[in-house]
Amino acid sequence: MFVRELTRPITELKGIGARTAEWYRRMGIITWFDLITHLPRSYEDRSVRIPFSKGYDRQAVLTVMEVISHSRIRFKGGFALKVMVRDETAAASLLCFGRNFLKNTLIPGRKFYFYGRGQVQYGELQFSSFETAPFREEAPPPPEFSRIIPVYPLAGQLTQKIIRKDIAGLLRSSVKHIRNEVPEKLLSDYSLLPTPEALKEIHFPSSPARRDGARRSLVFGEFFYLHLTVRRRALKREAVRRTAVSYPRNLNNRLLESLPFRLTDGQERSVSEITADLESGKPMARLLQGDVGSGKTLTALLAASLVIDGGRQAAFMVPTELLARQHAEESARLLEALGVRIALLHGGMRRKDRQLLLDALAAGEIDLLIGTHALFTHDVAFRDLGLVIIDEQHRFGVLQRLSLTKKGITPDLLFMTATPIPRTLTMTIFGDLDISVIDTMPPGRKPVITHLAAEASRERVYQAVRAEFDRGRQGYFVYPRIEFSDSSELKDAVSMYEYLTQQVYPGIPAGLIHSQLPQEEKQSVMDAFSSGAIVYLVSTTVVEVGVHVANASCMVIEHAERFGLSALHQLRGRVGRGAHQAYTFLIFSEEITDQGKQRLKIMKESCDGFRIAEEDLKIRGPGDIAGLQQSGFIQLIYADLVGDLDLLHETLPAARQVLKEDPGLLSGAYSLCREVLQKAPPFAEELIDG
Ligand code: ADP
Ligand code: MG
């Protein structure tokens, strides 16, 4: 089977030793499969000859040249070789800085293929970076001087030359193992290339049209299998049967009565949809979508209270320990008075305490267990787990979800996300989940006012924020990076913390928080912020997830053009959670693109996550689709959910049709795509499979 071939490590390939393998590893490339799916980030068309006479302003030149003579120029206290050359149209000179050894190859009178980008200086066309290869009348030109060549993302000391050679070699030795994955009929119906052909063409295209065709074929295949998988999961889930139940409503009613407010329409609707699932004859797999602050947590706790009232247990899994604690406190506040036994499982527990907790859990003395993915490590056993609630589930890796499987449980599953996913997408990529949407915000929330500011007016923003501090409010400053880096102009949290505390707001207590801090430190900074001891937080996007401080009324995001719409939206959701009018300041730098401007404009105009997601889709921003693709919701190799949206829709009827004609496809017949899907978005499947 070729899949096994492709899982071999790249060190088994000729010419890849430990050092090179390490550079590859930094890009996540371990196996043949990884390497073969390491796609070019761009291409250089070297299929057309361009003579020296057309070479100016760093225009590419591709020609056959003859070496005329050598001379020397001063360079770094010594000399550098200068080679005078000409082709049929004009003369040029090659400046060989640090490459004096070229005098032995670029010998006067000999002919070479030449590729480079030069400039006219002192009246002559000069090249300081260029590639050459000996010209042979009788032999065809080497690929680097006659074809479209790939330009790959690099790491370490890898060069384009090395990586091209490695991939070309791999294609030669592995292409025979790669089976075509798109059914024959579709190949002709949709004019697609068979998979091996498409892979060859995407790396080393024979023409721009063939390359585009290759990419389309690969993306088509990827989407096709995505649809199949989603459909397969849905069918599988439909096949599981259980006895319908009817849960008592006591606890649920008491919880509702204890609230100082009424549920919003969106919450009402979601609660009744979830309740129907919980009591139905098949397991629930439902995605609850709702903007930050729309009241998802409460909705989930209402679901939990039903199950608990029925004498069963519920688990609430969240992405970080910080959030676990916050949720535990919130749940305790709402439910403990009603007699619900709540426990928090966290990493910092002493062994003895942990054991006590686990014993109580197994004995059914805990009703609701809250924690991170640690909830599903092997020694955690429930007596009767009825409902699993997973908050911001896209932040959990596939592996964590897998460990649930091993426990062989089929509880009801409620996934919650604040990532607004446009309906067009939920229908296709989450076709196996039922969906509830909370599209109403609790009354009385004032929409956050968003201001856009050019870098030049940063000081004014700082002043506006100071006014908020003077009113007793708190705030956030968010930066795209943790630390200063020479290679980047971007402001970073660490340096800006220094700057803000020393220059801008001396004497006002501040905290710094980012992912590289130890857990306890993060915790104590957050605690101080929650209690008001710290007035503002300087951070990276770690504040994105779920932090809730009602007194925080302002947020400054610098280099806002660097963030995707969904990240901005999520960040902004951290403020405006209290009674005070809240503000977000999006500071953008001069390098902002038109698309970037459009994104920020949407942020200014709307606070509605779904509208933002739809707009995001329209602009088709930089592969962001509401942060979906990067967030790990779904990992696609060839496709870009945003750019390839049309194809995603085109493949759906194709998949339906093929399934109708060949239902066998549902059970097997996975190959390269299977590999893809194993890294991909499995939700219900893993959990229900067990
Ligand atoms: P989410 O999890 O969707 O971000 P939360 O469940 O954390 O939102 O709710 C945010 C805040 O709104 C909480 O303090 C919660 O108590 C409150 N809340 C929830 N539902 C309502 C409602 N219907 N009316 C008023 N406040 C509500
Ligand atoms: Mg929440």
Side-chain angles (χ1 to χ4, degrees), residues 169-183:
L170 175 58
L171 278 170
R172 267 194 306 277
S173 57
S174 70
V175 106
K176 59 177 176 292
H177 300 298
I178 299 173
R179 188 173 57 196
N180 173 44
E181 326 187 281
V182 181

Side-chain angles (χ1 to χ4, degrees), residues 95 104 129 232-233 255 259 293 298 362 376 390 458 466 511 533 538 556 616 672 674:
L95 310 179
N104 303 322
S129 76
R232 189 163 69 106
R233 283 189 204 135
L255 173 53
L259 296 173
L298 178 64
F376 294 100
I390 303 178
R458 261 169 66 211
R466 176 187 286 279
V538 180
V556 178
D616 199 12
L672 201 56
R674 163 157 210 143

Side-chain angles (χ1 to χ4, degrees), residues 261-264 267 290-298 330 333 442-443 445 548 577:
F261 48 73
R262 297 166 54 99
L263 295 187
T264 62
Q267 284 172 315
D291 250 335
V292 170
S294 61
K296 294 184 297 297
T297 310
L298 178 64
E330 171 89 357
R333 195 169 60 74
R445 279 289 149 82
H548 180 175
R577 313 194 105 209

Side-chain angles (χ1 to χ4, degrees), residues 482-502:
I482 299 179
E483 274 178 300
F484 178 76
S485 144
D486 274 337
S487 62
S488 165
E489 300 271 287
L490 295 186
K491 298 203 168 45
D492 62 276
V494 172
S495 331
M496 287 307 287
Y497 174 76
E498 298 280 299
Y499 176 73
L500 291 168
T501 49
Q502 286 167 21

Side-chain angles (χ1 to χ4, degrees), residues 1 53 63 70 164 171 197 222 272 275 379 477 491 644:
M1 258 300 278
S53 61
T63 189
H70 290 175
R164 274 175 207 143
L171 278 170
E197 193 67 26
E222 195 165 34
S272 60
T275 307
D379 60 339
F477 288 82
K491 298 203 168 45
D644 297 317

Side-chain angles (χ1 to χ4, degrees), residues 245-314:
V245 286
S246 174
Y247 287 117
R249 299 287 198 272
N250 289 333
L251 185 56
N252 209 272
N253 288 336
R254 279 162 62 215
L255 173 53
L256 283 171
E257 278 160 24
S258 74
L259 296 173
F261 48 73
R262 297 166 54 99
L263 295 187
T264 62
D265 290 350
Q267 284 172 315
E268 289 273 10
R269 196 170 358 98
S270 302
V271 168
S272 60
E273 285 162 358
I274 294 167
T275 307
D277 282 359
L278 290 174
E279 299 188 331
S280 87
K282 67 185 178 95
M284 169 170 81
R286 185 171 284 277
L287 180 67
L288 176 62
Q289 283 186 278
D291 250 335
V292 170
S294 61
K296 294 184 297 297
T297 310
L298 178 64
T299 307
L301 290 179
L302 282 163
S305 73
L306 276 181
V307 171
I308 292 167
D309 219 2
R312 311 186 64 196
Q313 293 166 302

Side-chain angles (χ1 to χ4, degrees), residues 292-293 296-297 323 327 391-392 416 546 577:
V292 170
K296 294 184 297 297
T297 310
L323 276 176
H327 277 74
D391 197 5
E392 291 303 339
M416 302 200 291
R577 313 194 105 209

Side-chain angles (χ1 to χ4, degrees), residues 13 41 73 178 193 256 272 371 400 481 505 562 594 663:
L13 291 168
R41 70 174 147 77
I73 51 171
I178 299 173
L193 296 174
L256 283 171
S272 60
Q400 283 102 343
R481 316 177 53 95
Y505 307 115
R562 292 291 174 137
D594 284 348

